[in-house]
Amino acid sequence: MSMKAIVQSAPGGVGTLTLSTIERPIPQEGQLLIRVHAAGVNRADIVQREGHYPAPPGASAIMGLEVAGEVVEVRGPSAFKVGDAVFGLVPGGGYAEYAVLDSALAIAKPERLSWVEAASLPEAWMTAWFNLVEIGHLAEGERALIHAGASGVGAAAIQLARMLGASVLASAGSADKMAFCSRLGAEHVYNWRDLEHFAPMVRQWGGADLVLDPVGGSYLAENIACMNPDGRLIFIGVMGGAQASLNLAQVLVKRLSLRGSTLRPQPLAVKARLASALAQHVLPAQAAGRVQMTVDAVYPLSEVAEAHLHMESNRNLGKIMLHVE
């Protein structure tokens, strides 16, 4: 059977993306086939479109890492049945009318959430939980520096850090983004465009025990300089370059940990643990009003090029989403 999906003719710009009719994916044992109603757009999709972030072996080459929709087929034992409303993280294939979702990663969609709201949660919140909780061990009373705080992951990380009892300093690139970060719970927000060197300001605030950084090379020296003893620096991107010199003396004296982190290639068991954390901790917090939804813009699937350009413009406050008719 066929479906509509966004396919790519070759690596490159948004002009390489087209809405085409292709064959539906076939779920394997332990998987669900989902009729997709909404899918998230992530920075990783841009990098994949440009040819620098290929899909893992065995995953769909179609972009899209998170979906929400209705179960139409179940293969193997599962907590879900045909007709159930679910959302979850996928290794690819989200920009389509149908997608395959591992049953272990599927989360029941609460009625209070729209399809778009549900689909906006997995990538950002599972990334935030993986890096702040499992890797970063962020503790109550510590200070977290969240770069690009108005991004999808940044917005989730600010809120999660506050849930964990940490204080948050966030960076953003405009007055609107600064106000957005403050509304999410960041006690201190600075405009990175106004600061050539942010380390002195962070040290004046008390220093950072954990830094979550999607920028990379151009921020390395300042990150190292602003961190407290036993601080943890976690790289989740290299938007500011992949090369930098490192002052090992500071790393040694302050006993710093530097860690690179990507969610997509993690084993299924790790992702299942993160999905469980989202269901057991984030959804109840959202229901109680302690977590805000952060959907910035919604585009129909046919306007995926405009959604990518919106992300590349760095204007978004939170998540950019696709609605699948």
Side-chain angles (χ1 to χ4, degrees):
M1 298 181 69
S2 62
M3 68 174 185
K4 294 289 184 64
I6 299 298
V7 301
Q8 188 174 21
S9 56
V14 296
T16 65
L17 303 176
T18 58
L19 181 64
S20 300
T21 300
I22 64 172
E23 289 298 307
R24 289 185 191 178
I26 299 173
Q28 303 301 309
E29 186 75 8
Q31 295 182 328
L32 310 172
L33 182 63
I34 305 300
R35 170 65 173 92
V36 178
H37 292 292
V41 176
N42 291 282
R43 184 69 59 175
D45 302 343
I46 308 298
V47 183
Q48 178 175 335
R49 192 199 72 214
E50 293 172 342
H52 305 304
Y53 193 39
S60 172
I62 296 170
M63 282 168 269
L65 301 176
E66 55 192 344
V67 298
E70 181 183 347
V71 177
V72 295
E73 186 176 344
V74 180
R75 287 289 182 92
S78 176
F80 299 97
K81 64 184 186 301
V82 171
D84 284 348
V86 299
F87 66 99
L89 191 76
V90 293
Y95 292 9
E97 290 182 319
Y98 293 85
V100 169
L101 172 63
D102 281 293
S103 191
L105 303 185
I107 302 167
K109 185 187 81 69
E111 289 188 10
R112 68 178 182 276
L113 297 182
S114 68
W115 294 114
V116 164
E117 288 174 330
S120 76
L121 294 173
E123 176 71 15
W125 278 93
M126 289 168 68
T127 296
W129 192 280
F130 186 47
N131 291 293
L132 267 60
V133 177
E134 296 208 357
I135 294 176
H137 303 291
L138 185 63
E140 183 176 0
E142 289 192 315
R143 294 181 175 88
L145 170 58
I146 309 297
H147 290 298
S151 67
V153 171
I158 289 171
Q159 297 188 82
L160 178 57
R162 296 295 294 138
M163 286 171 58
L164 296 170
S167 299
V168 179
L169 173 66
S171 69
S174 69
D176 286 347
K177 290 188 175 186
M178 293 173 68
F180 176 72
C181 293
S182 295
R183 290 196 301 272
L184 294 178
E187 291 97 329
H188 304 271
V189 186
Y190 71 94
N191 191 330
W192 58 266
R193 300 180 190 275
D194 297 336
L195 284 178
E196 182 179 357
H197 301 288
F198 60 82
M201 181 269 299
V202 178
R203 287 199 302 268
Q204 183 178 6
W205 176 60
D209 300 298
L210 182 145
V211 180
L212 186 66
D213 179 32
V215 179
S218 61
Y219 274 15
L220 180 60
E222 291 287 301
N223 282 333
I224 295 296
C226 78
M227 293 171 68
N228 291 330
D230 298 309
R232 292 85 70 199
L233 171 57
I234 304 175
F235 298 102
I236 58 172
V238 289
M239 295 171 58
Q243 302 293 325
S245 58
L246 175 63
N247 186 334
L248 288 175
Q250 285 187 303
V251 175
L252 177 67
V253 171
K254 293 203 283 186
R255 306 179 301 276
L256 303 180
S257 299
L258 282 65
R259 171 75 179 263
S261 173
T262 54
L263 179 59
R264 193 176 191 180
Q266 292 299 318
L268 179 61
V270 173
K271 294 178 182 178
R273 191 165 65 238
L274 299 175
S276 178
L278 197 167
Q280 295 180 17
H281 299 283
V282 178
L283 288 183
Q286 188 275 331
R290 299 194 303 273
V291 165
Q292 300 180 39
M293 304 303 299
T294 57
V295 174
D296 174 81
V298 184
Y299 294 85
L301 184 64
S302 59
E303 296 180 13
V304 65
E306 287 75 8
H308 275 218
L309 290 173
H310 185 55
M311 173 161 282
E312 291 182 72
S313 73
N314 292 317
R315 300 193 314 268
N316 56 296
L317 304 179
K319 297 285 297 186
I320 299 170
M321 306 297 297
L322 298 174
H323 173 65
V324 183
E325 295 289 349

